Amino acid sequence: MVLQPKPADYPRIRKALKLYKVTSVITGVMLLLLCAVMVMKYAFNVQLFLFTPDGFAKFEPLAPEGIEADFQPQGFDLFKAILIAHGWFYVLYLFSNFLIWSPMRWSFLRFLLLALGGVIPLMSFFLEVQTAREVNAFLDSHDGVAAAASGAEASDTPDPSPAATEGTNA
């Protein structure tokens, strides 16, 4: 038996989808930047510092093994900032994954797949498109049914407004 989202959760799902779309793009971009940082650090043995005394940006060679504490370049360590920013955006991305996964009542494996989007480069972009398409298709196909059901319930109940009762008093 496949569980379906509750009609009462549809507005919450739409809001969660908006947050998911934003966080997946931000996390994907930050992951690509992190990959570029790792390539520069481990392939070219350099790190980037901003606002150094020598200029706006400067690539500094990595410190030799064992004397990292003595080697403190001046400036803002952009590589470390990207690493930290990606970590925090990934936490926000996981939160948005939960907000969309829970009311959609998907399996836990689907949550794990969504979580991998913030770890595997480019995956968050593909998952964002697929998930948004799937959730929007579900909501579009079921919103009409929910509206028709609530409209039928509203027509079965009498209108207690004063305008409806004025015609009966005359």
Side-chain angles (χ1 to χ4, degrees):
M1 179 176 143
V2 177
L3 294 174
Q4 296 288 323
K6 298 173 186 171
D9 288 338
Y10 292 172
R12 188 174 92 180
I13 292 171
R14 288 198 189 279
K15 289 179 185 174
L17 182 62
K18 288 177 186 175
L19 178 65
Y20 170 75
K21 289 168 72 172
V22 169
T23 59
S24 66
V25 170
I26 292 172
T27 301
V29 168
M30 293 304 296
L31 184 58
L32 291 176
L33 287 173
L34 184 62
C35 289
V37 162
M38 292 298 134
V39 167
M40 285 194 277
K41 185 172 183 177
Y42 295 111
F44 300 110
N45 293 322
V46 295
Q47 51 191 3
L48 182 62
F49 286 87
L50 300 178
F51 312 114
T52 66
D54 299 332
F56 174 72
K58 183 178 180 190
F59 284 104
E60 292 282 346
L62 289 178
E65 192 78 27
I67 62 166
E68 292 92 359
D70 297 336
F71 183 73
Q72 293 294 326
Q74 292 180 337
F76 179 73
D77 188 355
L78 185 64
F79 286 7
K80 191 179 289 186
I82 290 173
L83 179 70
I84 292 170
H86 169 69
W88 283 108
F89 278 117
Y90 183 67
V91 169
L92 184 60
Y93 174 71
L94 287 176
F95 180 69
S96 70
N97 287 345
F98 180 79
L99 289 180
I100 194 76
W101 167 78
S102 181
M104 286 300 292
R105 304 176 109 190
W106 287 328
S107 69
F108 186 67
L109 287 175
R110 180 70 182 264
F111 179 76
L112 293 178
L113 178 69
L114 291 173
L116 280 176
V119 178
I120 300 174
L122 300 175
M123 189 172 175
S124 69
F125 301 114
F126 295 110
L127 283 175
E128 184 266 329
V129 170
Q130 176 192 358
T131 303
R133 187 178 298 144
E134 183 179 340
V135 170
N136 283 327
F138 176 84
L139 291 175
D140 291 344
S141 68
H142 287 78
D143 268 349
V145 174
S150 65
E153 290 173 8
S155 65
D156 292 342
T157 59
D159 188 9
S161 66
T165 56
E166 279 181 15
T168 59
N169 292 341

